[in-house]
């Protein structure tokens, strides 16, 4: 597998004054992730629209990933696609994050900063897009395979995607958040891969990262109950080898401790009395 080394990071892109921005857009400091979002019916349509845009931008950005293209170029495409749709790219200046989306290649688990490195034949690339519009954030990510990817990495990507749906299917009103991680963890272990523990799914809505935390591994001690109206993400990060991570010097880029690849898919989910709605589906 190709090794990833940091490239050059280009300056942050501008967002026109006409786009409504989240609180941290200027300061870099998000408001405290307060309680879970419970939506009234009239606001659900607004959140649906936000999540639809996130998914659209993700598809546009992911379709542009090709051998020789750089993360900087994908970031630019996603940034413009957000603005065309009246949305703010939520990652931009979130806790000081310098670009508009995350691009995480091969052994990068998550929070890769788009840079000048060109994608190579055999890369597996995660594109993670979050947008802010209508007062809400919507968050989703998926993998792109570049050229000829080795069989074990293709299997990793497949298991990561399936694990997301196994997590979604574990959601039951009256059940518990830990049921999600339990289902994902056992499926992933059966397939000989491991689940990252340090990064979780999260409540989302008015704030980018809110309660509840949604672990993708089994956490029997967490009692949090799943209720109708809750909105949160599921975004399992699946490693080929060791589940542990380390950070690059940029303090953002999380890579696997053993340098083996990692894969991730993410959706924003609305819990309803009669089931779930995959808002970014
Ligand atoms: N989109 C990521 C998530 O799924 C968060 C990225 S935060 C950033 O939660 F600051 F790194 F952009
Ligand atoms: Co997320
Ligand atoms: Co995300």
């Amino acid at each position: 597998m190709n090794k990833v080394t940091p490239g050059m990071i280009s300056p942050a892109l501008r967002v026109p004054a006409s786009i409504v921005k989240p609180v941290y857009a200027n300061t870099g400091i998000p408001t405290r992730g307060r309680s879970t979002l419970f939506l009234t019916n009239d606001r659900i349509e607004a959140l649906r629209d936000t999540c639809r845009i996130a998914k659209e931008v993700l598809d546009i950005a992911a379709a542009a990933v090709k051998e020789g293209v750089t993360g900087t170029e994908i970031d630019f495409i996603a940034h413009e696609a957000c603005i065309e749709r009246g949305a703010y790219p939520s990652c931009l200046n979130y806790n000081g994050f310098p670009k508009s989306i995350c691009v995480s290649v091969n052994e990068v688990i998550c929070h890769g900063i788009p840079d000048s490195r060109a994608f190579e034949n055999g890369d597996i690339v995660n594109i993670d897009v979050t947008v802010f519009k209508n007062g809400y954030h919507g968050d989703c990510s998926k993998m792109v395979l570049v050229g000829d990817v080795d069989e074990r990495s293709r299997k990793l990507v497949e298991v990561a995607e399936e694990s997301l749906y196994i997590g979604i299917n574990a959601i039951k009103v009256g059940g518990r958040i830990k049921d999600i991680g339990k289902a994902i963890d056992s499926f992933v272990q059966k397939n000989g891969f491991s689940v990252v523990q340090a990064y979780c799914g999260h409540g989302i809505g008015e704030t980018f990262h809110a309660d509840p935390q949604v672990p993708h591994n089994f956490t029997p001690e967490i009692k949090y109950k799943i209720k109708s109206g809750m909105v949160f993400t599921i975004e399992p990060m699946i490693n080929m080898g060791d589940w542990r991570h380390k950070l690059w010097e940029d303090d953002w880029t999380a890579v696997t401790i053993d340098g083996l690849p990692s894969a991730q898919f993410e959706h924003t989910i609305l819990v309803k009395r009669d089931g779930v709605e995959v808002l970014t589906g």
Side-chain angles (χ1 to χ4, degrees):
M1 196 202 42
N2 311 316
K3 263 272 174 211
V4 181
T5 49
M8 302 260 290
I9 298 167
S10 67
L13 297 171
R14 314 235 354 187
V15 179
S18 57
I19 305 269
V20 179
K21 299 174 184 63
V23 280
Y24 56 81
N26 295 316
T27 61
I29 304 158
T31 49
R32 284 290 282 284
R34 67 160 171 106
S35 57
T36 317
L37 179 67
F38 288 96
L39 280 184
T40 54
N41 284 330
D42 57 316
R43 295 305 291 158
I44 290 180
E45 211 37 63
L47 177 67
R48 280 197 184 111
D49 180 60
T50 306
C51 289
R52 202 180 298 130
I53 290 170
K55 156 80 165 124
E56 233 173 74
V57 173
L58 173 60
D59 285 345
I60 289 167
V65 173
K66 301 259 151 55
E67 187 176 349
V69 173
T70 67
T72 305
E73 290 167 322
I74 301 302
D75 179 74
F76 178 79
I77 289 166
H79 184 90
E80 293 296 305
C82 285
I83 286 164
E84 275 167 26
R85 289 161 180 76
Y88 180 90
S90 302
C91 293
L92 186 59
N93 210 26
Y94 180 77
N95 285 128
F97 191 81
K99 300 300 287 178
S100 302
I101 61 169
C102 296
V103 175
S104 302
V105 183
N106 296 344
E107 72 268 29
V108 180
I109 295 170
C110 64
H111 302 169
I113 303 171
D115 67 15
S116 62
R117 179 189 180 277
F119 301 124
E120 297 171 14
N121 184 46
D123 282 350
I124 60 169
V125 181
N126 175 271
I127 306 293
D128 192 332
V129 170
T130 312
V131 307
F132 180 75
K133 196 187 175 183
N134 307 324
Y136 298 131
H137 297 272
D139 191 1
C140 51
S141 88
K142 68 177 181 184
M143 301 297 295
V144 183
L145 308 184
V146 180
D148 317 304
V149 171
D150 67 87
E151 198 182 322
R152 189 135 177 86
S153 296
R154 286 204 310 266
K155 177 75 181 169
L156 178 72
V157 170
E158 226 176 85
V159 167
E161 183 162 27
E162 201 174 340
S163 79
L164 168 58
Y165 289 96
I166 281 171
I168 291 171
N169 289 331
I171 298 171
K172 300 270 167 335
V173 173
R176 292 179 197 264
I177 287 290
K178 68 181 174 196
D179 302 340
I180 298 167
K182 186 178 185 181
I184 291 172
D185 210 354
S186 83
F187 170 73
V188 169
Q189 283 193 38
K190 253 194 337 233
N191 280 279
F193 297 132
S194 70
V195 176
V196 172
Q197 298 184 12
Y199 299 92
C200 298
H202 48 93
I204 185 166
E206 291 160 17
T207 38
F208 191 164
H209 293 104
D211 288 339
Q213 276 220 91
V214 183
H216 307 292
N217 57 301
F218 186 43
T219 52
E221 68 284 3
I222 295 181
K223 301 291 177 231
Y224 211 106
K225 273 201 170 153
I226 297 174
K227 297 194 181 115
S228 170
M230 283 174 76
V231 181
F232 55 81
T233 73
I234 303 182
E235 48 183 297
M237 286 141 273
I238 308 306
N239 292 355
M240 192 180 282
D242 198 301
W243 58 272
R244 289 170 297 173
H245 79 286
K246 60 187 180 193
L247 286 181
W248 277 1
E249 263 169 36
D250 61 24
D251 261 349
W252 278 109
T253 310
V255 295
T256 58
I257 204 162
D258 54 13
L260 289 173
S262 181
Q264 176 180 31
F265 288 80
E266 174 175 27
H267 275 311
T268 297
I269 311 288
L270 168 66
V271 180
K272 301 199 284 195
R273 235 162 307 155
D274 53 349
V276 298
E277 185 173 327
V278 180
L279 295 168
T280 49

